[in-house]
């Protein structure tokens, strides 16, 4: 299983230098990798904390359940991030890919949330 | 033929059609030829027309080929935008801040330099023109091409590191081997101003709603009738000049009239009568001013009094009186005459008798003796008597002379005119009565006393009368003299102004002649543009209820304006007052696209920055059609911040090159061809699937996303084409698509026209295309699962196949 950190790293490098064949593709691709990073961190969290939740196929349910474990603030930030990144992953009429500034912001947000999810993870295992 | 000569031909035709009199025609043509010629014509010379230019430099058509930007605005490291240098439509799309507008700005700056318009309007631009991430090197270069010329034209502006203003750039303009100091040397300044092939929807909207005169000025050069409007302006200028002279004279006349009315003088009254006319008889006035003779009987009477001869002096009167007294004394002292005469006669006769007959007895007394002794005594006696008589005669003569001197004293008896001051008149009357009381045959001594005693009063009275008359005449003269001097000045001015009257009439005739000609020319020249505007507006208005009834350039000088007669739901109104911002922008485009694409413009390219901003989707469709029709003959480059216009272009199957601009961090700008989004997603997916730079676990989910986006994009296209095709409003279609959030909902909308039919999607795919289709869609939907995991290229192939089959 590829880790959240790995996704984050790849998203970050995609944003700063172009990989072969990804000229112009990077904004959407980075956004998608960021979403994968976030999802991987969530999956890992639930696997450790409550494997039953991890088995649940509904991402929305998992996000809702985060509130009880991480508090409403962190949970709603994660939910919002997931929603924003999902948008970038779907085709939308007229909407262009996110800009570099937006991506930079999303990247740091995701890194923060991955950190938050991992810290809890460590706490719980201890 | 140059425009100027085409216009001149037009004027000749009008002059001939209207059978314009030669006099007017000369002025009309003189005005067209220039100020100097016009003045010469007004001085009586024949019109001297400009030389016919044989070499009419035909403007060569210009297209854009490449825009290179580095270190400028949103662009850091050099980025290049290639444009096919021929008619056609190019869209450059990129989100706000992607750097796309930097290209548009670079074109404007390269072509126009740091024009004042920019400096004034765009402070943010002034401060932020240099890219923050890559401030050096900063340069923009636009490569343009003359139609059919192998050598490109390069317009380059380069900034040194110390430059702080965009205008400080070093300009470099090259065409083949030739080098120019600036763009102006290519002769582009005037057409750039007149046609402005660089349009920004915002600016256009603003211009449309700006002062009517600004809008007029923006459109007027388009009509290319300046030589004629300038001729009219020339005439108006000279008219003002001539008017000023004539008006000064008229104003002065009006000011002088009341003054003349206040002067009690016959000449002033006459002058006032002359001045009642707006165009007084100058010769009559001249004669009046020359006139010193006075016909007024009252004034004549006064003048006669004033002209009275000098009165005898008191010494003269005393002499006359003395003469009287002396004569009187003489008469008194002379022995009385009595029988002196008889005695003389007797003595003479007696002596004669004696002398003849000799002595003897006295024949008279008969007692006496006449002898020689008697004879001697008688002679003595006779002599004495003779002396006495002589003295008496002399005394009488002296008295007569003295009396004559009295009666011949020159004392005037003036007749006083009516209105003469009564006190003075009465004084004279009393003095004269006293004087007349004693006649000259009176006793000389009494007469002398009378003269001495009454003369001073009479003399005083007469002097007073005369002085009164003189004072009257003097005051009358003074008043007249003051206004006469003014009249004299006015006369000189008026004579000069009369010289201007004829030219003024001619100038007015010519202005009257030009007015309808200009109106017609404007209408004629504007007609094709107005018609295009009308057409464009028809396309752009779509759901707008504002109907435009053409456009007109009205008025001149300070009242010039552009009129947009419009109807809103059938009610006549002015377009401006009822339009929304989007409509205003649309109107701006409707008005200015024809200008930018004018046939006479050398610029065959049009750069339009963000025309879609506040347009609703229906207008975007209209705009796409307008641009498509323009791009048949023009190179149309449109910068736009979202995909709406591109989507419309694709859906309407308009030929277009679409570039997508994205900006990385550090202002690195990528430009890539944006074709159909479906193709783009698929080619991205294909490329990514083969990229070894990224671990397969990382790249597979991204490939999946791309495939899913391709599928969704295709579904959107299907839904849009179907719904808009059957007449649904864009807005409603957008709402339906936005509501379909998941891949399945979108697919259901495309397949069943019902977003809620997601459950039937796989079955339909299975039956219509086969299990592979359903599998591929399932993979897209669920993400990194299924057998595509090992080879994402397979999924790309399946999805490509599927989207090609979806209808």
């Amino acid at each position: 299983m590829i880790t959240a950190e790995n996704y984050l790293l790849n998203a970050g490098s995609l944003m700063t230098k172009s990989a072969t064949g990804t000229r112009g593709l990077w904004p959407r691709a980075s956004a998608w990798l960021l979403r994968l990073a976030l999802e991987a961190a969530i999956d890992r969290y639930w696997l450790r904390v409550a494997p039953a939740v991890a088995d649940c196929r509904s991402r929305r349910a998992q996000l809702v359940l985060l509130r009880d474990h991480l508090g409403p603030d962190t949970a709603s930030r994660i939910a919002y991030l997931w929603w924003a990144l999902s948008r970038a992953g779907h085709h939308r009429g007229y909407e262009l890919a996110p800009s570099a500034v937006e991506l930079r912001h999303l990247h740091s947000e995701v890194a923060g949330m991955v950190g938050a999810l991992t810290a809890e993870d460590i706490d719980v295992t201890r | 033929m140059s425009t100027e000569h085409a216009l001149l031909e037009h004027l000749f035709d009008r002059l001939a059609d209207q059978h314009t009199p030669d006099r007017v025609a000369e002025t009309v043509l003189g005005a067209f030829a220039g100020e100097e010629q016009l003045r010469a014509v007004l001085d009586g010379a024949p019109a001297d027309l400009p030389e016919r230019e044989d070499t009419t430099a035909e403007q060569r058509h210009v297209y854009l080929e490449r825009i290179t930007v580095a270190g400028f605005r949103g662009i850091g490291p050099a980025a290049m935008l290639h444009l096919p240098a021929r008619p056609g439509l190019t869209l450059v799309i990129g989100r706000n801040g992607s750097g796309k507008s930097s290209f548009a700005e670079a074109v404007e700056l390269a072509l126009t330099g740091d024009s004042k318009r920019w400096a004034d309007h765009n402070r943010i631009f002034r401060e932020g023109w240099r890219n923050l991430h890559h401030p050096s090197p900063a340069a923009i270069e636009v490569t343009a091409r003359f139609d059919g010329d192998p050598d490109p034209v390069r317009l380059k502006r380069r900034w040194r590191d110390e430059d702080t203003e965009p205008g400080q750039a070093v300009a470099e303009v090259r065409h083949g081997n030739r080098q120019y100091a600036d763009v102006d040397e290519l002769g582009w300044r005037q057409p750039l101003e007149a046609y402005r092939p660089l349009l920004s929807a915002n600016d256009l909207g603003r211009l449309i709603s700006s002062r009517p005169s600004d809008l007029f000025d923006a459109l007027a050069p388009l009509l290319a009738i300046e030589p004629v409007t300038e001729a009219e302006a020339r005439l108006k200028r000279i008219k003002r000049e001539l008017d000023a002279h004539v008006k000064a004279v008229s104003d002065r006349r009006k000011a002088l009239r009341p003054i003349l009315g206040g002067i009690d003088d016959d000449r002033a009254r006459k002058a006032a009568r002359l001045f009642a006319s707006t165009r007084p008889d100058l010769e009559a006035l001249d004669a009046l001013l020359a006139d010193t003779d006075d016909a007024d009987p009252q004034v004549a009477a006064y003048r006669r009094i004033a002209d009275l001869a000098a009165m005898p002096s008191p010494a003269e009167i005393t002499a006359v009186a003395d003469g009287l007294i002396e004569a009187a004394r003489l008469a008194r002292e002379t022995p009385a005459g009595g029988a002196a005469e008889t005695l003389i006669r007797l003595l003479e006769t007696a002596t004669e008798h004696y002398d003849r007959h000799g002595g003897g007895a006295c024949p008279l007394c008969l007692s006496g003796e006449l002898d020689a002794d008697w004879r001697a005594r008688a002679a003595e006696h006779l002599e004495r008597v003779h002396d006495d008589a002589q003295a008496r005669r002399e005394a009488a003569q002296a008295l007569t002379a003295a009396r004559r001197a009295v009666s011949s004293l020159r004392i005037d008896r003036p007749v006083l005119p009516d209105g003469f001051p009564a006190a003075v008149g009465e004084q004279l009357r009393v003095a004269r009565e006293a004087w007349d009381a004693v006649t000259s045959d009176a006793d000389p001594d009494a007469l002398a006393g009378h003269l001495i005693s009454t003369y001073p009063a009479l003399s005083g009275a007469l002097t007073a009368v005369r002085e009164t008359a003189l004072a009257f005449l003097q005051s009358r003269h003074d008043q007249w003299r003051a206004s006469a001097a003014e009249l004299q000045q006015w006369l000189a001015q008026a004579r000069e102004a009369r010289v201007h009257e004829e030219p003024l009439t001619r100038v007015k005739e010519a202005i009257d002649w030009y007015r309808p000609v200009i109106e017609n020319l404007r209408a004629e020249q504007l007609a094709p543009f107005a018609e295009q505007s009308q057409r464009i507006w028809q396309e752009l208005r779509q759901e707008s209820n504002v109907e435009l009834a053409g456009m007109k350039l009205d008025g001149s000088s300070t009242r010039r304006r552009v009129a947009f007669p419009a109807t809103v739901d059938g009610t006549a109104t002015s377009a401006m007052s009822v339009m929304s911002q989007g409509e205003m922008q649309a109107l701006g485009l409707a008005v200015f696209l024809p200008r930018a694409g004018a046939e006479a413009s050398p610029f065959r390219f049009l750069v339009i920055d963000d025309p879609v901003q506040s347009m609703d989707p229906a207008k975007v469709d209209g705009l796409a059609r307008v641009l498509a029709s323009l791009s048949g003959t023009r190179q149309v480059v449109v910068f736009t911040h979202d995909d709406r216009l591109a989507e419309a272009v694709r859906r309407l199957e308009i030929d277009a090159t679409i570039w997508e601009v994205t900006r990385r961090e550090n202002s690195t700008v990528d430009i890539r061809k944006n074709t159909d989004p479906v193709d783009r997603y698929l080619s991205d997916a294909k490329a990514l699937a083969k990229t070894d730079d990224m671990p397969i676990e990382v790249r597979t989910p991204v490939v999946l996303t791309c495939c899913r986006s391709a599928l969704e994009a295709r579904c959107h296209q299907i839904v849009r084409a179907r719904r808009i095709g059957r007449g649904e409003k864009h807005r409603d279609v957008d709402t339906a698509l936005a509501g379909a959030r998941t891949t399945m909902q979108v697919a259901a909308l495309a397949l069943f026209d019902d977003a809620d039919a997601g459950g039937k999607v796989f079955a339909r795919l299975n039956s219509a295309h086969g299990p592979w289709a359903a599998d591929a869609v399932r993979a897209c939907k669920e993400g990194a699962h299924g057998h595509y995991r090992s080879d994402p290229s397979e999924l790309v192939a399946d999805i490509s196949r599927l989207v090609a089959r979806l209808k």
Side-chain angles (χ1 to χ4, degrees):
Chain A
M1 190 83 180
I2 193 155
T3 62
E5 288 74 14
N6 204 335
Y7 280 128
L8 261 177
L9 196 72
N10 276 287
S13 67
L14 204 55
M15 282 158 59
T16 46
K17 66 173 172 46
S18 50
T20 321
T22 64
R23 197 163 171 232
L25 158 72
W26 60 270
R28 282 184 203 278
S30 321
W32 193 244
L33 288 175
L34 288 175
R35 186 185 128 160
L36 288 173
L38 189 64
E39 285 182 344
I42 295 168
D43 285 345
R44 189 168 61 190
Y45 175 81
W46 284 126
L47 225 64
R48 300 281 164 110
V49 176
V53 177
D55 284 347
C56 166
R57 294 290 303 266
S58 166
R59 189 61 77 186
R60 289 190 75 159
Q62 292 183 349
L63 289 169
V64 170
L65 286 172
L66 278 177
R67 277 185 219 161
D68 292 342
H69 290 76
L70 298 174
D73 281 357
T74 310
S76 74
R77 271 173 81 185
I78 292 171
Y80 169 77
L81 262 180
W82 185 81
W83 174 82
L85 293 166
S86 302
R87 265 181 84 80
H90 283 275
H91 172 77
R92 303 264 155 196
Y94 316 143
E95 218 169 87
L96 297 177
S99 68
V101 182
E102 284 169 322
L103 280 171
R104 168 60 56 206
H105 173 71
L106 290 170
H107 185 274
S108 72
E109 274 288 289
V110 170
M113 289 306 105
V114 168
L117 287 162
T118 311
E120 282 297 324
D121 186 17
I122 290 162
D123 258 3
V124 170
T125 47
R126 217 187 291 171
Chain B
M1 200 191 299
S2 73
T3 23
E4 184 153 346
H5 274 93
L7 285 171
L8 191 53
E9 295 292 334
H10 181 89
L11 294 191
F12 276 128
D13 290 350
R14 289 280 81 72
L15 289 170
D17 289 353
Q18 301 172 3
H19 304 291
T20 312
D22 285 355
R23 208 174 82 111
V24 180
E26 290 283 337
T27 323
V28 162
L29 295 173
F32 186 84
E35 174 140 2
E36 215 171 292
Q37 287 90 331
L38 175 56
R39 288 188 192 275
V41 166
L42 292 176
D43 281 346
D48 185 12
L49 290 173
E51 292 278 306
R52 205 166 259 267
E53 304 161 38
D54 283 331
T55 52
T56 47
E58 197 189 316
Q59 289 274 27
R60 285 192 293 167
H61 292 173
V62 183
Y63 293 96
L64 296 178
E65 191 172 63
R66 194 172 59 220
I67 307 166
T68 314
V69 181
F72 172 77
R73 303 283 279 143
I75 298 176
M80 212 182 271
L81 181 64
H82 289 272
L83 301 164
R86 58 171 181 274
L89 177 60
T90 303
L91 299 185
V92 181
I93 58 177
R95 294 173 59 107
N96 291 329
S98 66
K100 64 167 177 6
S101 290
S102 308
F103 286 108
E105 286 161 353
V107 175
E108 177 155 13
L109 192 57
L111 285 171
T112 61
D114 182 34
S115 71
K116 213 176 161 334
R117 196 177 68 85
W118 267 35
D120 289 347
H121 279 132
N122 206 337
R123 258 195 86 219
I124 299 160
F125 171 80
R126 277 183 89 72
E127 282 159 12
W129 62 275
R130 202 188 270 275
N131 185 271
L132 290 173
H133 299 113
H134 284 259
S136 179
I140 54 179
E141 181 176 348
V142 170
T143 308
R145 216 169 251 285
F146 284 118
D147 200 15
D149 188 330
D151 295 325
V153 180
R154 291 179 205 283
L155 316 168
K156 195 168 179 181
R157 283 177 198 271
R158 218 160 14 85
W159 288 273
R160 290 152 301 208
D161 289 350
E162 66 270 24
D163 291 343
T164 55
E165 298 283 319
Q168 289 171 317
V170 182
E172 209 182 296
V173 180
R174 265 177 208 282
H175 175 214
N177 296 328
R178 269 159 299 168
Q179 191 149 0
Y180 303 93
D182 212 328
V183 183
D184 292 353
E185 286 185 27
L186 292 167
W188 287 358
R189 178 182 282 273
Q190 192 273 331
L192 271 171
E193 280 299 315
Y195 304 112
R196 291 214 66 84
L198 315 159
L199 303 93
S200 133
N202 255 346
D203 287 354
L204 298 186
R206 230 190 353 255
L207 191 52
I208 280 287
S209 52
S210 66
R211 284 195 313 225
S213 58
D214 289 348
L215 190 55
F216 183 102
D217 292 343
L219 287 174
L222 195 57
L223 308 181
I225 58 166
E226 283 94 341
V228 176
T229 52
E230 275 163 19
E232 193 200 26
R234 231 167 257 142
L235 285 165
K236 284 184 172 167
R237 201 162 52 238
I238 291 186
K239 174 173 175 283
R240 268 199 302 280
E241 222 172 82
L242 298 176
D243 264 342
H245 287 296
V246 173
K247 187 164 182 305
V249 169
S250 160
D251 286 350
R252 191 94 183 270
R253 178 179 66 81
K254 285 178 196 149
L256 280 171
R257 270 185 78 184
I259 297 173
L260 287 173
I263 299 176
D264 183 20
D265 185 305
D266 210 38
R267 287 167 298 187
R269 277 186 289 276
K270 272 187 190 160
R273 270 198 299 283
L274 287 173
F275 264 30
S277 155
T278 50
R279 202 170 175 282
D281 180 345
L282 298 186
E283 295 320 308
L285 183 66
D286 195 21
L288 187 62
L289 287 170
D291 175 28
T292 48
D293 216 6
D294 218 324
D296 187 343
Q298 190 202 16
V299 176
Y302 273 102
R303 182 145 295 153
R304 270 194 303 278
I305 296 171
D307 286 347
L308 291 180
M311 282 182 299
S313 67
E316 241 175 295
I317 296 293
T318 312
V320 170
D322 287 351
L324 272 173
I325 292 164
E326 182 58 23
R329 190 188 56 80
L330 211 63
R332 264 195 316 274
E333 286 170 5
T334 311
E341 302 291 328
T342 322
L343 182 64
I344 288 169
R345 245 183 355 263
L346 183 64
L347 280 175
E348 280 173 346
T349 311
T351 52
E352 220 180 276
H353 180 78
Y354 175 85
D355 292 341
R356 196 176 294 166
H357 301 291
C362 172
L364 293 177
C365 64
L366 300 176
S367 61
E369 184 70 25
L370 300 181
D371 54 16
D373 185 40
W374 172 84
R375 177 66 178 88
R377 278 188 284 118
E380 255 172 60
H381 191 184
L382 192 59
E383 195 175 335
R384 213 167 44 242
V385 175
H386 262 295
D387 284 353
D388 288 350
Q390 180 67 25
R392 268 196 307 275
R393 259 196 317 273
E394 278 173 8
Q397 269 170 10
L399 189 59
T400 309
R403 286 194 197 278
R404 201 176 298 128
V406 172
S407 53
S408 70
L409 273 176
R410 228 189 114 78
I411 304 296
D412 279 303
R413 301 178 158 269
V415 180
L416 302 185
D418 290 344
F420 196 88
V424 187
E426 179 60 15
Q427 189 193 348
L428 179 64
R429 194 188 59 76
V430 170
R432 197 145 55 196
E433 222 171 66
W435 176 264
D436 287 345
V438 178
T439 53
S440 60
D441 52 357
D443 172 69
D445 285 318
L447 183 56
H450 179 74
L451 286 183
I452 298 291
S453 68
T454 58
Y455 186 69
L458 178 62
S459 156
L462 272 171
T463 305
V465 163
R466 194 165 167 216
E467 275 167 4
T468 306
L470 275 171
F472 168 83
L473 289 170
Q474 184 66 47
S475 97
R476 191 170 169 280
H477 176 71
D478 285 349
Q479 288 183 45
W480 168 243
R481 197 174 49 187
S483 35
E486 289 211 50
L487 283 175
Q488 195 72 52
Q489 273 182 16
W490 181 87
L491 183 64
Q493 236 188 4
R495 283 210 165 108
E496 205 180 308
R498 288 280 157 95
V499 176
H500 297 314
E501 276 178 355
E502 204 245 6
L504 186 59
T505 312
R506 294 187 62 178
V507 165
K508 281 180 183 161
E509 285 167 348
I511 291 174
D512 287 345
W513 189 88
Y514 267 113
R515 194 172 298 123
V517 169
I518 288 175
E519 240 166 69
N520 285 340
L521 265 176
R522 255 189 211 139
E524 257 171 53
Q525 298 286 100
L526 189 64
F529 294 107
E531 203 183 294
Q532 274 189 61
S533 292
Q534 187 71 31
R535 253 200 332 269
I536 293 175
W537 175 251
Q538 282 308 336
E539 286 281 10
L540 294 185
R541 71 178 268 238
Q542 299 289 339
E543 287 153 30
S544 162
N545 56 358
V546 181
E547 202 157 334
L548 219 53
M551 128 177 114
K552 256 176 77 187
L553 295 188
D554 270 354
S556 62
S557 64
T558 51
R559 278 198 302 268
R560 63 201 192 279
R561 66 187 194 116
V562 179
F564 294 100
T567 54
V568 175
D569 295 329
T571 310
T573 177
S574 149
M576 309 298 175
S577 50
V578 293
M579 284 191 165
S580 70
Q581 199 192 340
E583 284 170 335
M584 213 67 112
Q585 281 181 9
L587 180 63
L589 284 168
V591 171
F592 289 105
L593 279 177
R595 175 180 73 162
E599 194 45 49
S601 169
F603 306 112
R604 296 281 125 169
F605 62 84
L606 264 86
V607 177
I608 310 168
D609 196 10
D610 236 349
V612 218
Q613 284 188 342
S614 37
M615 281 190 187
D616 48 52
K619 285 199 180 61
V620 176
D621 271 13
L623 179 64
R625 273 192 289 265
V626 166
L627 295 176
S629 94
L630 254 174
S631 66
T633 54
R634 294 291 182 284
Q635 179 189 27
V636 183
V637 183
V638 182
F639 292 89
T640 176
H641 72 283
D642 63 19
D643 204 39
R644 283 183 290 166
L645 190 58
E647 189 276 328
V649 161
R650 284 182 217 108
R651 183 162 35 78
L652 299 169
E653 297 181 342
I654 294 165
D655 278 339
T657 310
I658 304 177
W659 296 100
E660 191 175 338
V661 178
T662 45
R663 191 167 82 127
R664 284 169 185 274
E665 301 208 313
N666 299 325
S667 299
T668 304
V669 170
D670 288 332
I671 300 166
R672 66 168 185 160
K673 252 210 176 98
N674 167 313
T675 45
D676 186 290
V678 179
D679 295 343
R680 192 187 62 213
Y681 284 127
L682 287 175
S683 75
D684 281 349
K686 223 173 279 173
L688 202 59
K690 291 191 195 117
T691 302
D692 297 327
D693 297 4
M694 241 186 268
I696 189 150
E697 303 88 342
V698 174
R699 88 181 111 100
T700 303
V702 180
V703 171
L704 276 168
T705 316
C706 285
C707 288
R708 189 174 65 198
S709 291
L711 186 68
E712 288 173 353
R714 182 65 196 130
C715 291
H716 277 212
Q717 287 174 345
I718 291 167
V719 173
R720 248 177 234 288
R722 179 194 301 139
R723 294 205 169 192
I724 289 167
R726 69 181 176 221
E728 279 183 41
K729 289 191 173 178
H730 280 81
R731 210 173 295 123
D732 301 339
V733 180
D734 284 343
T735 312
L737 284 170
R741 273 193 299 275
T742 68
T743 310
M744 296 318 285
Q745 283 169 330
V746 176
L749 207 51
L751 294 176
F752 307 106
D753 204 24
D754 176 6
D756 297 330
K760 300 194 279 181
V761 168
F762 289 128
R764 164 66 68 89
L765 288 172
N766 235 336
S767 62
H769 308 287
W772 61 270
D775 286 349
V777 173
R778 193 172 290 114
C780 290
K781 171 183 175 278
E782 293 180 353
H785 303 283
H787 71 280
Y788 295 112
R789 188 169 189 109
S790 53
D791 188 1
S793 297
E794 257 179 66
L795 176 65
V796 180
D798 284 348
I799 290 292
S800 300
R801 209 165 118 208
L802 178 61
V803 296
R805 298 176 70 156
L806 282 179
K807 292 252 160 40

